[in-house]
Amino acid sequence: MDNLFKEVNRKKTGAIKWDYQANLDNIPFWIADSDYSSAPCVLEELQNVSKHGAYGYNGIPKEFNEAVVKWYDRRYGCKLNNDWIISSTGVILELRVLLDVLTEVGDGIILQTPVYHTFHHLINGMDRKIIENKLIKTNDTYVMDYDNLEELFKKGYKVLILCSPHNPVGRIWHYEEIEKVVMLAKKYNVFVVFDEIHSDLNITKRKFVSGGMFVNLYDNIAICNAPSKAFNLAGLHTSYIIIPNADLRKLYVERTDKEFLNHPSVFGYRSMIAAYTNGEEWINAQNEHLLNNYNYLKTYLNKELPEVIVTLLEGTYLVWLDFSYTKLTTDELLTKCSNGGVTCSGGVNFGSDYESYLRFNIACSFEQLQKGLELLVKAFKS
Ligand SMILES: Cc1ncc(COP(=O)(O)O)c(C=O)c1O
């Protein structure tokens, strides 16, 4: 199976990760996509679609929703209803519409920082306020601060975005951790948006716990997801949102349907159905590959740069590296990396306390990882 995760040459293909970095000769470990091909079942389906020849406006067949329901059931033991699922062209678009429906200009949205930088841009860009519920660092991992979360709920903030699995700290939240948030949200009537885009990137032996497991307890929630991270399909702009509450679903659909925002392309929706129908074995193999890459990174950095704290990785393919010993700012760290031949993501973009952190993407071949880590270590040893 490991020969599935060999490097694909993405240079000069328009890939943002490769062709839009400042130094085009660098090996990139920044933006969250993979440097190997998607699952064979997806490639085959895309060839079938491309052979057809006519690519006019397309609807989304019921098989799209059915594939999601079956995937959630099989992979996570989570029962969803077909009607709850609405297709879309991106998780950030879904969040934009949802926040528009749920909040007003000036309202606060709670983020558990450090967290995916585009959430910050989205909230600022919509003239809402970011309210930080900072994660607590414990040795090499992070937990939620429930006391602070309850304080924020008491203050009247009405929406929490819960990144699950968490980008960039790599947590796959336990059932009890999510349940605690849901119970608190229920107590204060707070809406919880689960961003589950990394749900299939899981290197633990535990099942991923979806927000959908708690619908019977509390349905003031929505779940955003897409096959784009796990199956490397971000360029095909295909996603979905799960809204169990019928009233909210109606509002959401009213905002999106007439503007044609719910229509991924035929390449997108067909690839997702193929992935969710036949891609399970490939996903399992990818998780093994990622575990192997992560173990190598951890061992290598522990040996060569022992001052760097490698955050425990449970989910996603993004490793959160604490370079505090250097006392460098994000800009200085990124410059050092770039001059050394690697492009990383900078910590401060995920939260103001994280100037001396880097996020490092390990979704590449083992050989590329080895080469990149060698360059990284050389840059920081010199
Ligand atoms: C947590 C999270 N949500 C959303 C996105 C982007 O989703 P989309 O490209 O579907 O808008 C990413 C991409 O890295 C992400 O990490």
Side-chain angles (χ1 to χ4, degrees), residues 31-33 89-95 115-119 163-167 195-198 225-226 228-229 234 237-239 317-318 359:
I31 202 164
D33 63 25
T89 57
V91 162
I92 293 303
L93 174 70
E94 293 163 6
L95 287 173
V115 78
Y116 178 48
H117 50 89
T118 307
F119 293 165
C163 196
S164 173
H166 191 95
N167 169 8
D195 180 333
E196 298 188 349
I197 199 167
H198 294 274
N225 206 339
S228 49
K229 298 290 150 191
H237 297 284
T238 299
S239 65
Y317 41 59
L318 307 163
R359 193 191 72 176

Side-chain angles (χ1 to χ4, degrees), residues 98-380:
L98 204 55
L99 293 183
D100 195 37
V101 170
L102 294 170
T103 64
E104 306 282 338
V105 166
D107 282 353
I109 318 277
I110 304 172
L111 291 183
Q112 298 182 303
T113 52
V115 78
Y116 178 48
H117 50 89
T118 307
F119 293 165
H120 300 248
H121 300 313
L122 178 70
I123 293 170
N124 289 330
M126 293 182 75
D127 295 324
R128 271 62 168 176
K129 280 187 310 217
I130 296 169
I131 306 298
E132 284 188 276
N133 170 228
K134 296 181 181 182
L135 295 175
I136 301 170
K137 190 171 184 182
T138 59
N139 300 323
D140 64 348
T141 188
Y142 290 77
V143 292
M144 293 189 209
D145 184 345
Y146 299 102
D147 292 338
N148 172 261
L149 191 62
E150 184 161 12
E151 282 309 308
L152 298 177
F153 286 179
K154 271 189 199 160
K155 282 187 182 161
Y157 297 115
K158 284 293 169 215
V159 179
L160 162 71
I161 300 181
L162 201 158
C163 196
S164 173
H166 191 95
N167 169 8
V169 309
R171 281 297 316 275
I172 299 248
W173 305 112
H174 286 268
Y175 185 93
E176 294 72 22
E177 292 177 293
I178 299 183
E179 187 183 38
K180 225 164 155 173
V181 174
V182 171
M183 293 314 288
L184 277 177
K186 185 173 178 179
K187 184 169 170 191
Y188 295 96
N189 196 28
V190 173
F191 193 92
V192 185
V193 189
F194 291 87
D195 180 333
E196 298 188 349
I197 199 167
H198 294 274
S199 55
D200 293 307
L201 299 160
N202 179 354
I203 63 171
T204 71
K205 294 206 171 2
R206 286 182 272 130
K207 261 197 176 141
F208 166 73
V209 180
S210 168
M213 301 295 277
F214 301 91
V215 174
N216 289 338
L217 260 179
Y218 187 56
D219 78 347
N220 217 6
I221 67 158
I223 301 163
C224 302
N225 206 339
S228 49
K229 298 290 150 191
F231 287 95
N232 203 20
L233 300 173
L236 296 188
H237 297 284
T238 299
S239 65
Y240 53 92
I241 182 166
I242 302 163
I243 307 182
N245 182 299
D247 295 334
L248 177 65
R249 199 165 60 243
K250 187 164 173 277
L251 281 176
Y252 180 93
V253 171
E254 275 169 11
R255 293 279 172 106
T256 50
D257 216 27
K258 290 197 184 78
E259 290 161 24
F260 224 61
L261 302 177
N262 294 336
H263 285 73
S265 74
V266 65
F267 287 92
Y269 87 73
R270 291 267 298 266
S271 64
M272 194 193 89
I273 295 171
Y276 278 13
T277 308
N278 295 311
E280 201 154 355
E281 209 183 317
W282 184 86
I283 281 286
N284 292 339
Q286 181 182 214
N287 283 331
E288 272 176 39
H289 173 75
L290 292 173
L291 176 60
N292 193 38
N293 274 5
Y294 172 67
N295 285 339
Y296 178 79
L297 174 145
K298 197 168 160 61
T299 309
Y300 186 73
L301 288 185
N302 282 348
K303 180 164 166 271
E304 298 295 335
L305 288 178
E307 304 90 345
V308 173
I309 301 170
V310 178
T311 304
L312 177 76
L313 188 73
E314 296 179 323
T316 82
Y317 41 59
L318 307 163
V319 187
W320 189 232
L321 300 174
D322 178 352
F323 276 79
S324 297
Y325 80 97
T326 62
K327 302 204 165 41
L328 295 177
T329 64
T330 289
D331 279 350
E332 289 164 342
L333 285 176
L334 289 177
T335 303
K336 219 170 171 44
C337 290
S338 188
N339 291 342
V342 287
T343 306
C344 299
S345 297
V348 79
N349 300 315
F350 300 85
S352 51
D353 297 346
Y354 297 92
E355 275 286 355
S356 300
Y357 285 66
L358 292 174
R359 193 191 72 176
F360 194 93
N361 178 347
I362 59 168
C364 59
S365 68
F366 182 68
E367 294 72 23
Q368 185 174 306
L369 179 73
Q370 272 183 315
K371 227 188 290 173
L373 286 174
E374 234 173 72
L375 293 173
L376 183 78
V377 165
K378 218 163 150 192
F380 281 90

